[in-house]
Amino acid sequence: PDEKANAFIESDGFAMFKEVGASPDSTESGTRSEFFKMVNELLVDLPEQVMQSFVNSPDFELYKQIAERYGDT
């Protein structure tokens, strides 16, 4: 996990992560959609046990609401 975290910190996606995280309300909708897609890609790489823990957590409901708004559905 440390290697993946370091690679993410050094990536262009991390700048977007900081931008959206610092001020989500003032970030353009297109950027928030890109951010959501990036988060989805990161979630796919999680170990199965971590993913199941997330799916069973209250945070997953928030994730589904965000997916409805910014996802490709």
Side-chain angles (χ1 to χ4, degrees):
D2 290 331
E3 185 178 312
K4 287 185 180 186
N6 289 334
F8 175 65
I9 290 169
E10 295 173 6
S11 72
D12 293 337
F14 188 65
M16 180 175 29
F17 178 82
K18 291 192 304 185
E19 175 187 347
V20 174
S23 186
D25 292 335
S26 65
T27 304
E28 294 181 4
S29 179
T31 302
R32 288 189 299 242
S33 293
E34 286 180 48
F35 173 79
F36 181 76
K37 289 176 191 174
M38 178 185 66
V39 169
N40 258 355
E41 291 170 7
L42 293 171
L43 286 174
V44 170
D45 289 335
L46 289 175
E48 182 65 25
Q49 184 177 3
V50 175
M51 177 61 85
Q52 285 304 313
S53 178
F54 173 61
V55 167
N56 294 321
S57 75
D59 293 331
F60 190 66
E61 289 304 314
L62 175 60
Y63 172 81
K64 290 189 324 187
Q65 291 173 9
I66 295 169
E68 288 177 17
R69 185 175 218 171
Y70 298 111
D72 286 334
T73 58

